[in-house]
């Protein structure tokens, strides 16, 4: 397969020799031709959707030239030319992604999971260990929401600052060489209207991190022109106040035209040098870009662009201008350029064909196998006619996909339901084999499949000795974090008020003074980019704990957690990981915005993350300990009302690990099981004592983690004994309590052991009203629990438990 020649330069000024310029011309054409052919493939029905990088080629060639080993990109769907120019994307791979080829060798970005134009390099070896990132060109895995590449870009850049300034990190040369790496971002002009763009720009200016953000400005966002998007119609003008001056830090802002080859080279090399050497953020506004084929295959731009604009775009096409530049500078003759063009066209055709052959080959084999097995089974079946018809129809499918094959097989098995013979068994076992393969293709790697999966971290119990005094809960955490800062140089924590005062509940109190500002730091108020700062640094091999001050404010950061972090392993099929830990606090305390327990929201949006709900700080410290030994992203929701409650200080802090996915039985009982977590554990235990007085023996189980959920079957075993169960929490009705019920009743098949209706206890559907009465009438109270349990027992034995 003809390879794209990677540009692997570490020079600091552009090489404008004849060979280099002609190679740039070749790669630009290669990318353009891939766009033109790609669109046709979609219209021929060979791919479902296409979005291409035509019109943006030249700037990306320049960016690729300034990009160095160890650098990271975080960009968007127009960046194919850049990826080709750094040698991380062949045309064949480009088409493999367009067709959704599930083979990771063919489509290394995502194994067919990401839509075309979503790029990624593989940072991990097959066993999930890190590759030597400083010897690679790196690209974070793209996501579709506009501007969502910005928060993690901040983190990718911030990591360089840490590697440069934190002496404890100097030894990790696989991850960074003295923080020399630049994080390069790209974004469309219209996407700069998003809030997270401005949030990231502001944070980068404040933090002075080596980030080069390029804006590909084609004056449109799908059909909507510039005047609807940007103040003054120009993002560089709108951002002028961020520009650095002789006396004030800020951004270097560079403006350049998308068709000006030499100007672009200069701009990107300057930007790279400033960011790399000075750790100053740079913004490059590349305007006068075009879209030769419009936005995507979803429509044509003739519908909304004026004839004048379309004419202008034709005249100012960056590749035509590049050609003019080469000719006028006498770098090559028209014949030489025509020859390159002819070669490129042939090359793209060939690589596209190979990609298609490779993609359809496997499916054709599966199709033939299915047809022959269905026909084989038909021979011995009373449903022969219909089965033969199914097989024949399948064989006539044009451009068959896997769904055609598998759905026919499933229909055939349904038709064969009364048959029992060897030919049917063969079809069944073939289907079973395919189901396993398809699970790997389409459903694997939601969680870590490496040896560092949380499921593989062994439990170590907390120990206590004569020195184990009673302390405030927050002190357990503080001593744990102190230990970890001492022993794990990659670990650091940041968030609003985390630095100087050691967080609003003081679990880091005194630790900035002891370990330095790079390890325990304050941030401005910006949840989305706090999350991004965590994702980016974790993508570069560090172990951040990013704090969201209250769970009620998680929503600002939730999109990044959901769209980027939670699905990272899945969407790269194990090619990247970002084991970021989000530390936050929630459940009951006070009022509408400091009492939230939106666990159902978290569970629905953050599949792919571990969700820990410790009942106290001893458990929380043990969970952090497990998480830092694993390679999975997680959120830990501490109990907002637990920092001042007394706990016994374990003597083996940092060593003990709470097993994740293993509920703990807090109280044994024989009449009914209550399953709960977090701040509710204490209330349920108090209710259990009261119920004991009434002659009801309650078993109380703390689930400890909602994801993973009871992988040990602890709750099912309890129900087998008590035959009754209530799921209690302080989320809204139908939230996490309903989730727990589904996991147990359906997941652990305990329905037949139940002698009473399974119930849930939850908070009211609204947020809690202010003050203690507000809490009492909004959140589940001790009386609510006692009465609910009593009601169950009344139904069982009304004589012993008469109605209240
Ligand atoms: C959050 C979000 N809203 C809407 C979309 C749909 N969408 C995809 S691309 C696009 C326009 C982006 O325009 P611009 O940033 O200028 O990039 P261009 O495509 O012009 O290069 C929109 C609205 C999206 N992907 N994400
Ligand atoms: Mg645009």
């Amino acid at each position: 397969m003809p390879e794209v020649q990677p540009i692997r330069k570490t020079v600091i000024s552009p090489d404008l020799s004849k060979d280099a310029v002609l190679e740039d011309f070749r790669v630009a054409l290669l990318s353009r031709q891939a766009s033109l052919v790609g669109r046709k493939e979609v219209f021929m029905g060979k791919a479902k959707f296409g979005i291409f990088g035509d019109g943006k080629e030249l700037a990306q060639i320049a960016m690729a030239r300034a990009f160095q080993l160890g650098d990271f990109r975080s960009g968007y769907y127009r960046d194919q030319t850049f990826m080709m120019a750094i040698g991380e994307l062949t045309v064949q791979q480009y088409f493999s992604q367009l067709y959704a080829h599930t083979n990771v060798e063919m489509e290394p970005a995502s194994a067919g999971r990401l839509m075309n134009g979503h790029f990624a390099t593989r940072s991990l070896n097959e066993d999930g260990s890190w590759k030597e990132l400083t010897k690679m060109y790196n690209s974070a895995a793209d996501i579709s929401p506009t501007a969502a590449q910005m928060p993690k870009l901040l983190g990718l850049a911030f990591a360089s600052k840490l590697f440069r300034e934190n002496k404890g990190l100097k030894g990790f040369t696989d991850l960074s060489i003295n923080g020399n790496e630049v994080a390069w971002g790209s974004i469309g002009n219209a996407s700069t209207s998003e809030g997270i763009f401005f949030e990231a720009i502001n944070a980068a200016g404040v933090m002075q991190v080596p980030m080069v953000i390029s804006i590909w400005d084609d004056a449109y966002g799908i059909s909507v022109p510039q005047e609807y998007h940007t103040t003054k119609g120009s993002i560089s003008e709108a951002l002028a106040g961020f520009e650095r001056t002789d006396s004030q830090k800020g951004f270097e802002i560079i403006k350049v035209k998308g068709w000006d080859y030499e100007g672009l080279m200069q701009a990107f090399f300057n930007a790279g040098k400033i960011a790399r050497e000075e750790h100053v953020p740079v913004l490059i506004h590349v305007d006068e870009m075009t879209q030769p084929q419009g936005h995507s295959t979803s429509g044509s731009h003739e519908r909304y662009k004026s004839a004048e604009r379309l004419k202008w775009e034709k005249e100012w096409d960056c590749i035509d201008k590049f050609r003019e530049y080469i000719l006028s500078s006498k770098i090559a003759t028209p014949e030489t350029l025509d020859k390159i063009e002819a070669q490129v066209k042939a090359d793209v055709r060939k690589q596209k064909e190979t990609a298609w052959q490779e993609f359809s080959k496997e499916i054709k084999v599966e199709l033939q196998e299915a047809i022959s097995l269905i026909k084989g089974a038909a021979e011995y079946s009373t449903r022969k006619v219909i089965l033969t018809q199914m097989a024949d129809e399948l064989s006539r499918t044009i451009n068959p996909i896997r769904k055609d094959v598998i759905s026919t097989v499933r229909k055939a098995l349904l038709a064969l339901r009364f048959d029992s013979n060897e030919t049917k068994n063969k079809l069944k076992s073939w289907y079973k084999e395919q189901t396993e393969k398809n699970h790997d293709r389409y459903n694997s790697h939601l969680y870590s499949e490496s040896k560092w999966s949380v499921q593989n971290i062994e439990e170590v119990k907390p120990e206590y000795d004569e020195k184990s005094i009673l302390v405030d809960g927050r002190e357990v955490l503080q001593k744990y974090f102190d230990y970890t800062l001492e022993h794990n140089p990659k670990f650091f924590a940041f968030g609003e008020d985390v630095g100087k005062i050691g967080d609003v509940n003081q679990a880091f109190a005194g630790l900035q003074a002891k370990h330095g500002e790079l390890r325990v730091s304050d941030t401005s108020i910006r949840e989305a980019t706090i999350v991004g700062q965590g994702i980016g640094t974790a993508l570069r091999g560090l172990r951040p704990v990013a704090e969201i001050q209250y769970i009620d404010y998680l929503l600002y950061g939730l999109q990044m957690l959901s769209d980027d972090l939670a699905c990272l392993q899945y969407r790269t099929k194990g090619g990247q990981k970002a084991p970021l830990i989000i530390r936050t606090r929630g459940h009951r305390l006070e009022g509408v915005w400091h009492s939230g327990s939106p666990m159902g929201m978290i569970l629905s949006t953050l599949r792919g993350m571990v969700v820990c709900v410790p009942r106290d700080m001893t458990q929380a410290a043990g969970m952090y300990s497990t998480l830092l030994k694993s390679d999975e992203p997680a959120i830990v929701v501490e109990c907002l009302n637990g920092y001042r409650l007394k706990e016994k200080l374990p003597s083996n802090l940092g060593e003990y690990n709470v097993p994740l996915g293993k509920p703990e039985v807090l109280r044994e009982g024989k009449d009914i099981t209550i399953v709960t977590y977090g701040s509710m554990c204490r209330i349920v235990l108090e209710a259990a004592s009261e119920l004991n007085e009434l002659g009801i023996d309650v078993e109380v189980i703390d689930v400890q983690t909602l994801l993973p959920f009871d992988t040990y079957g602890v709750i099912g075993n309890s129900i087998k004994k008590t035959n009754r169960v209530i799921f209690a929490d302080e989320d809204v009705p139908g939230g996490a309590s309903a989730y727990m019920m589904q996991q147990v009743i359906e997941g652990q098949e305990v329905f037949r052991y139940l002698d009473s209706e399974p119930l849930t206890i939850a908070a009211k559907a609204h947020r809690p009203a202010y003050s203690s009465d507000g809490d009492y009438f909004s959140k589940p109270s001790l009386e609510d629990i006692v009465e609910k349990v009593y009601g169950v027992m009344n139904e069982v034995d009304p004589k012993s438990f008469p109605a209240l």
Side-chain angles (χ1 to χ4, degrees):
M1 175 178 79
E3 291 290 326
V4 173
Q5 289 301 314
I7 300 164
R8 290 178 190 269
K9 301 262 160 56
T10 46
V11 291
I12 52 161
S13 58
D15 169 9
L16 297 183
S17 67
K18 178 181 169 184
D19 285 354
V21 174
L22 290 186
E23 176 58 10
D24 285 348
F25 183 69
R26 189 187 73 82
V27 178
L29 275 183
L30 196 76
S31 172
R32 173 65 60 90
Q33 190 61 18
S35 299
L36 300 176
V37 175
R39 188 172 170 90
K40 288 194 187 119
E41 290 297 282
V42 175
F43 291 145
M44 279 169 67
K46 286 161 79 181
K48 287 198 87 175
F49 173 76
I51 190 150
F52 307 105
D54 46 314
K56 317 284 187 293
E57 291 91 348
L58 220 50
Q60 292 179 32
I61 293 276
M63 175 165 138
R65 289 263 228 119
F67 196 81
Q68 295 188 9
L69 289 171
D71 285 0
F72 261 86
R73 161 195 173 272
S74 176
Y76 81 116
Y77 49 80
R78 300 282 181 216
D79 291 347
Q80 67 194 51
T81 317
F82 169 80
M83 294 302 291
M84 289 177 183
I86 59 166
E88 290 299 330
L89 179 71
T90 65
V91 170
Q92 184 180 321
Q93 288 165 346
Y94 183 75
F95 280 94
S96 296
Q97 188 177 56
L98 189 70
Y99 304 137
H101 198 154
T102 54
N103 183 326
V104 78
E105 305 292 327
M106 299 292 153
E107 204 283 86
S110 75
R113 292 176 181 191
L114 291 173
M115 197 182 253
N116 107 295
H118 288 61
F119 309 107
T121 49
R122 301 189 78 75
S123 311
L124 305 179
N125 296 306
E126 260 190 37
D127 65 357
S129 59
W130 291 102
K131 289 183 182 169
E132 289 184 72
L133 302 183
T134 45
K135 300 214 167 101
M136 297 168 52
Y137 293 115
N138 302 288
S139 170
D142 292 354
I143 53 180
S144 291
T146 48
Q149 65 273 38
M150 293 294 300
K152 78 178 152 213
L153 179 65
L154 179 76
L156 291 168
F158 179 57
S160 287
K161 195 177 169 78
L162 292 174
F163 280 115
R164 185 169 290 180
E165 295 178 17
N166 176 358
K167 288 195 179 63
L169 294 174
K170 293 291 177 206
F172 299 106
T173 50
D174 286 0
L175 302 174
S176 173
I177 310 288
N178 197 34
N180 284 341
E181 304 76 22
V182 172
W184 302 77
S186 67
I187 186 168
N189 56 296
S191 302
T192 63
S193 309
E194 295 279 11
I196 46 173
F197 170 79
F198 286 93
E199 190 178 307
I201 291 289
N202 180 53
V206 168
M207 292 160 69
Q208 293 291 290
V209 289
M211 153 176 150
V212 177
I213 174 75
S214 301
I215 292 140
W216 305 151
D217 188 349
D218 56 17
Y220 279 84
I222 309 187
S223 65
V224 182
Q226 194 73 314
E227 58 265 33
Y228 286 88
H229 293 295
T230 308
T231 306
K232 300 182 182 174
S234 161
I235 192 66
S236 50
E237 277 183 48
L239 293 178
F242 284 87
E243 203 158 5
R244 64 174 174 165
T245 63
D246 289 344
S247 58
Q248 281 183 309
K249 289 180 177 170
F251 267 78
E252 177 78 16
I253 297 183
I254 300 171
K255 200 168 173 186
V256 60
K257 302 199 183 306
W259 45 263
D260 175 6
Y261 178 69
E262 279 193 12
L264 287 162
M265 283 291 175
Q266 214 53 60
F268 279 90
F269 273 78
N270 283 346
K273 191 171 153 58
I274 292 166
R276 205 178 303 282
E277 290 175 6
E278 301 174 46
H279 274 196
V280 165
V282 184
L283 183 131
I284 307 180
H285 180 192
V286 185
D287 74 351
E288 300 196 14
M289 285 183 143
T290 67
Q291 285 181 339
Q293 302 187 106
H295 177 77
S296 71
T297 52
S298 295
S300 68
H301 57 157
E302 285 80 8
R303 285 176 304 158
Y304 48 80
K305 284 183 188 161
S306 66
E308 202 184 359
R309 170 76 196 182
L310 290 166
K311 185 165 164 274
W312 179 88
E313 289 202 17
K314 263 202 156 47
E315 280 167 14
W316 293 90
D317 185 297
C318 65
I319 294 188
D320 291 348
K321 289 281 154 206
F322 192 20
R323 194 185 169 93
E324 284 170 22
Y325 163 82
I326 295 171
L327 296 176
S328 66
S329 323
K330 308 224 179 309
I331 294 169
T333 61
E335 292 71 38
T336 306
L337 299 188
D338 290 347
K339 207 169 137 199
I340 294 174
E341 191 162 348
Q343 276 166 354
V344 160
K345 282 186 176 159
D347 188 10
V348 168
R349 195 178 321 119
K350 202 164 145 212
Q351 294 202 55
K352 178 213 73 175
E353 267 315 305
T354 313
W356 179 253
Q357 294 310 331
E358 290 291 335
F359 167 72
S360 42
K361 191 165 78 182
E362 263 178 45
I363 296 177
K364 275 187 193 144
V365 171
E366 288 163 29
L367 180 122
Q368 286 312 328
E369 285 173 356
I371 288 172
S372 92
L373 287 167
I374 294 170
K375 284 192 169 163
E379 284 304 313
Y380 298 91
S381 175
T382 50
R383 315 292 308 276
K384 181 173 175 177
V385 177
I386 191 156
L387 286 162
T388 312
Q389 215 174 355
M390 281 182 198
D392 289 343
E393 256 175 48
L394 182 58
S395 68
R396 285 195 295 271
T397 319
I398 299 164
N399 295 338
I401 57 170
R402 221 159 243 131
K403 177 186 166 202
D404 299 316
V405 180
I406 297 299
S407 76
T408 306
V409 168
R410 293 169 78 175
K411 286 189 177 90
L413 285 170
L414 199 63
L416 286 162
R417 64 195 176 281
F418 294 115
D419 292 41
S420 166
N421 60 50
E422 205 35 45
T423 55
K424 175 184 167 181
N425 288 344
K426 274 192 185 157
L427 180 63
K428 254 174 101 168
S429 63
W430 183 87
Y431 173 57
K432 190 165 167 265
E433 256 172 52
Q434 294 302 315
T435 304
E436 279 164 27
K437 285 186 186 165
N438 286 329
H439 176 85
D440 174 60
R441 286 180 185 124
Y442 300 102
N443 313 114
S444 62
H445 290 277
L446 178 58
Y447 286 90
S448 170
E449 295 186 7
S450 78
K451 65 178 176 194
W452 300 282
S453 150
V454 290
Q455 312 270 8
N456 296 332
I457 311 295
E458 295 264 319
E459 175 173 10
V460 176
K461 290 201 188 311
E463 288 168 10
Y464 299 93
D465 56 26
E466 61 287 352
K467 282 188 264 143
S468 293
I469 44 166
L470 276 180
V471 295
D472 283 353
R474 65 126 196 135
E475 287 176 78
V476 178
L477 282 176
Q478 182 207 31
K479 290 195 165 46
Y480 166 75
F481 288 134
D482 189 15
Y483 173 94
T484 308
L485 285 160
E486 194 79 48
H487 290 84
N488 184 351
K490 291 182 179 168
F491 169 73
F492 65 104
F494 57 92
E496 297 153 18
D497 303 291
V498 171
K500 200 164 186 97
I501 63 163
D503 94 43
V504 287
N505 295 94
Q506 298 188 305
F508 279 96
L511 299 185
Q512 184 184 69
K514 183 167 173 190
H515 298 279
E517 269 194 53
L518 294 166
R519 309 292 304 280
V520 184
S521 46
D522 283 319
T523 67
S524 51
I525 307 172
R526 47 174 180 79
E527 285 73 13
T529 49
I530 286 176
V531 170
Q533 198 172 327
I535 297 173
T537 46
L539 276 170
R540 292 191 57 188
L542 295 173
R543 294 310 311 256
V545 166
E547 178 167 318
I548 299 294
Q549 201 161 73
Y550 299 97
I551 202 171
D552 307 74
Y553 305 121
L554 183 71
L555 276 159
Y556 277 137
L558 189 66
Q559 187 184 9
M560 297 332 305
L561 292 176
S562 183
D563 281 328
D564 202 351
L565 184 62
C567 63
L568 179 68
Q569 292 241 14
Y570 174 77
R571 74 178 190 274
T572 58
K573 204 183 180 199
Q576 292 188 7
K577 62 180 174 185
L580 162 65
I581 300 170
I582 298 293
R583 172 174 185 241
T584 189
R585 48 189 74 86
H587 313 313
R588 66 186 62 207
L589 189 73
E590 210 58 83
V592 170
W593 281 282
H594 299 87
S595 286
S597 194
M599 300 312 302
M601 169 186 90
I602 288 173
L603 288 169
S604 301
T605 49
L606 301 187
R607 299 294 163 113
M609 286 179 70
V610 173
V611 178
C612 298
V613 278
R615 65 179 176 274
D616 60 29
M617 304 310 157
T618 307
Q619 293 305 99
M623 289 172 178
Y624 288 119
S625 176
T626 306
L627 290 168
L628 284 167
K629 287 168 186 132
S630 89
D631 67 356
E632 309 218 41
I635 178 164
V636 181
V637 183
E638 294 167 11
C639 297
L640 198 38
N641 61 4
Y643 296 104
R644 306 266 160 210
L645 299 176
K646 295 291 178 200
E647 294 182 32
K648 209 168 164 190
L649 187 67
S651 57
N652 60 342
L653 273 173
E655 282 156 28
Y656 74 88
N657 305 319
V658 169
L660 305 183
K662 187 176 179 188
E664 191 175 334
V665 179
L666 301 181
R667 183 189 195 282
E668 289 194 26
K670 59 179 182 1
D671 293 330
I672 186 164
T673 303
I674 303 184
V675 179
T676 191
Y677 59 87
S679 300
M680 282 287 282
C681 288
R682 228 163 17 92
I683 298 164
V684 171
L685 282 172
E686 281 167 29
S689 298
E690 287 213 359
L691 286 158
N692 200 36
E693 310 266 300
L694 302 172
I696 300 169
D697 191 13
V698 181
E699 178 139 315
V700 180
I701 298 182
D702 173 10
V703 302
Q704 305 216 76
T705 57
L706 289 164
L707 288 172
F709 188 86
D710 189 11
T711 49
Y712 293 74
V714 172
I715 302 167
N717 286 339
S718 169
I719 294 171
K720 281 178 199 163
K721 180 175 72 175
T722 61
N723 310 113
R724 284 173 246 287
V725 65
I726 292 179
F727 299 90
D729 75 359
E730 46 184 284
D731 193 1
V732 294
S737 58
Y739 161 83
M740 293 195 289
M741 187 191 264
Q742 179 269 338
Q743 290 286 302
V744 174
I745 306 294
E746 203 178 302
Q748 298 191 14
E749 295 175 17
V750 292
F751 187 71
R752 63 203 150 107
Y753 298 107
L754 288 174
D755 290 339
S756 296
E757 180 191 3
L759 298 174
T760 62
I761 294 175
K764 296 285 189 292
H766 54 75
R767 295 177 182 217
Y770 175 55
S771 200
S772 301
D773 279 348
D775 174 81
Y776 185 78
F777 292 103
S778 306
K779 291 272 187 174
S781 65
L782 185 135
E783 289 74 27
D784 291 336
I785 297 160
V786 169
E787 286 164 15
K788 192 94 162 192
V789 173
Y790 188 90
V792 174
M793 298 315 287
N794 159 256
E795 210 181 270
V796 177
D797 180 1
K799 264 207 179 118
S800 308
F801 306 105
L804 297 176

